[in-house]
C-alpha cells in the first residue's frame, strides 16, 4: 500500500480527483469504480471543477458504483443513485447509459448481484476503484465478517453503520437493514484502488486496515493484498498509524526518484 498523508481534507479530495482524472485522460475507455459518502463528495466537486475549467471529459468513460440500499428506488432522496446524480452525474458529460449503480429495487437482489458482476466483467473490469471506509473498517457495505473473496451480493448492515448513516435519514428506524454491494473480491479485482479517509473518527479503522492483520473483522485490510492501492489521508485519519514518519519519508524519496527520472 502506498500511504499519503496530506495537509487537510481539501488536499485529500484534490489528490483523489487528480488521480481519477489522470486515468480518465490516459485511457481511451476508462472504467471507474465510484463510491458514496461524505469523504468522496469533495472528490466529485473537484472533478466537476476540472470538467468545467480544464475540459476534463467523461464522455468516453463508464462507471460502476460500489453499493445501494435495498428497498430504495433510484429517485429516493437517500438512495446512492440520487447521491451520484446530484453530486456528480448531473454536472459532467458521462452519458446516461454509461453509469451503473446496483438496483436497490430489484425483484431478485441475488440475481441483481450476479448481473452486476457480469456487467463489470463485460466492461473489461474496473480500472480504478474509489473507496471510503466505514468506522468499523467496511468498504462498500462489506461489513466485518465479510468473506474476503466475496462478489456483489446482499449484505445486512452493521448497527454502527446504520447509526453512522442515520444522519442522512433523519432517524435510525428509517435506515435500511440491507444493501447490495460489490464484494471484497470484486474490489480486489480492480486494477487500482484509491481509498480516502479524513477525520479522527476514521483513525482506528485506518490503523487496523494499513498496519493490522488481514482479517475479515476489518474488510478493508484485504487491500494489503492488492498490488496497487493508494491510501490518501489527512493528519487526523493518519493519527493512529505507527509508521506515519516512514510513509512521509517514503513519499519524499519517491518525489526525489521522480526528479531523477525527469532529469535522466
Ligand atoms: C457508507 C458507504 C461506504 C463509505 C462509508 C463512509 O457506508 N457504503 O462506501 O465508505 O459510507 O462514508 P463517509 O465518507 O460519509 O464517512
Amino acid at each position: 500500500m502506498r500511504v499519503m498523508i496530506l495537509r487537510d481534507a481539501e488536499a485529500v479530495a484534490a489528490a483523489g480527483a487528480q488521480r481519477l482524472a489522470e486515468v480518465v485522460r490516459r485511457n481511451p475507455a476508462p472504467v471507474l469504480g465510484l463510491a458514496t459518502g461524505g469523504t468522496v463528495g469533495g472528490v466529485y466537486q473537484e472533478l466537476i471543477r476540472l470538467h468545467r475549467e480544464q475540459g476534463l471529459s467523461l464522455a468516453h468513460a463508464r462507471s460502476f458504483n460500489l453499493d445501494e440500499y435495498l428497498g430504495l428506488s433510484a429517485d429516493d432522496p437517500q438512495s446512492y443513485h440520487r447521491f451520484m446524480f446530484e453530486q456528480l452525474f448531473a454536472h459532467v458529460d458521462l452519458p446516461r447509459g454509461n453509469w451503473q449503480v446496483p438496483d436497490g429495487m430489484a425483484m431478485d437482489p441475488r440475481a441483481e448481484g450476479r448481473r452486476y458482476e457480469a456487467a463489470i466483467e463485460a466492461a473489461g473490469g474496473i480500472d480504478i476503484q474509489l473507496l471510503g471506509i466505514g468506522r468499523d473498517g467496511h468498504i462498500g457495505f462489506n461489513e466485518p465478517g465479510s468473506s474476503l473473496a466475496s462478489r456483489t451480493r446482499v449484505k445486512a448492515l452493521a448497527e454502527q453503520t446504520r447509526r453512522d448513516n442515520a444522519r442522512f435519514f433523519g432517524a435510525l428506524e428509517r435506515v435500511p437493514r440491507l444493501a447490495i454491494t460489490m464484494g471484497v473480491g470484486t474490489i480486489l479485482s480492480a486494477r487500482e484502488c484509491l481509498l480516502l479517509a479524513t477525520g479522527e473518527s476514521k483513525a482506528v479503522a485506518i490503523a487496523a486496515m494499513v498496519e493490522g492483520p488481514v482479517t475479515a473483522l476489518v474488510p478493508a485490510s484485504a487491500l494489503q493484498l492488492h498490488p496497487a492501492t493508494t491510501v490518501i489521508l489527512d493528519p487526523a485519519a493518519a493519527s493512529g498509524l505507527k509508521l506515519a514518519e516512514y510513509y512521509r519519508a517514503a513519499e519524499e524519496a519517491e518525489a526525489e526518484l521522480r526528479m531523477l527520472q525527469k532529469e535522466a
Side-chain angles (χ1 to χ4, degrees):
M1 277 183 187
R2 175 177 179 192
V3 179
M4 296 169 72
I5 305 169
L6 305 183
R7 66 174 185 282
D8 55 23
E10 209 174 303
V12 170
Q18 207 53 52
R19 181 61 200 139
L20 284 173
E22 255 167 45
V23 172
V24 167
R25 286 194 176 110
R26 282 192 194 151
N27 194 321
V31 182
L32 310 177
L34 299 178
T36 49
T39 314
V40 294
V43 173
Y44 299 145
Q45 278 170 27
E46 180 62 10
L47 280 180
I48 295 165
R49 192 188 67 78
L50 293 175
H51 171 66
R52 289 188 180 146
E53 294 174 16
Q54 293 179 22
L56 175 74
S57 174
L58 295 169
H60 60 309
R62 272 169 302 169
S63 75
F64 290 90
N65 260 79
L66 281 169
D67 48 10
E68 178 59 286
Y69 292 107
L70 270 195
L72 297 196
S73 65
D75 56 3
D76 189 293
Q78 309 313 334
S79 74
Y80 285 167
H81 272 84
R82 186 77 175 261
F83 176 101
M84 289 309 301
F85 189 75
E86 285 175 357
Q87 305 233 0
L88 182 66
F89 301 149
H91 312 286
V92 293
D93 59 348
L94 183 67
R96 172 66 192 93
N98 285 19
W99 54 268
Q100 289 207 38
V101 180
D103 181 4
M105 294 298 276
M107 292 292 282
D108 181 347
R110 290 203 167 85
E112 168 63 4
R114 291 190 293 273
R115 184 202 66 79
Y116 205 69
E117 281 289 323
I120 294 172
E121 206 180 310
I126 290 171
D127 290 308
I128 184 164
Q129 177 65 57
L130 180 65
L131 297 160
I133 186 170
R135 281 200 299 152
D136 61 1
H138 73 234
I139 43 177
F141 270 133
N142 293 285
E143 297 287 19
S146 290
S147 156
L148 302 187
S150 50
R151 311 303 299 197
T152 307
R153 72 212 181 294
V154 175
K155 269 309 276 185
L157 302 187
E159 257 328 279
Q160 184 176 86
T161 302
R162 292 186 66 239
R163 277 200 301 274
D164 285 349
N165 292 347
R167 65 188 195 276
F168 300 112
F169 289 83
L172 181 60
E173 312 82 70
R174 292 204 204 115
V175 185
R177 290 178 189 280
L178 293 167
I180 181 160
T181 180
M182 280 187 202
V184 179
T186 319
I187 293 168
L188 292 179
S189 297
R191 286 182 268 283
E192 177 177 343
C193 290
L194 202 56
L195 186 142
L196 272 45
T198 58
E200 216 186 318
S201 67
K202 301 290 172 72
V204 171
I206 287 296
M209 168 186 93
V210 178
E211 296 176 342
V214 173
T215 167
L217 279 178
V218 181
S221 66
L223 291 166
Q224 291 179 27
L225 300 172
H226 188 275
T229 287
T230 303
V231 181
I232 311 181
L233 306 169
D234 72 352
S239 61
L241 291 171
K242 292 195 182 83
L243 301 179
E245 279 321 306
Y246 171 75
Y247 307 132
R248 287 198 169 96
E251 283 304 308
E252 279 168 26
E254 279 274 338
E256 228 169 85
L257 179 65
R258 279 194 297 274
M259 292 290 285
L260 286 173
Q261 277 170 336
K262 253 188 222 157
E263 281 164 24

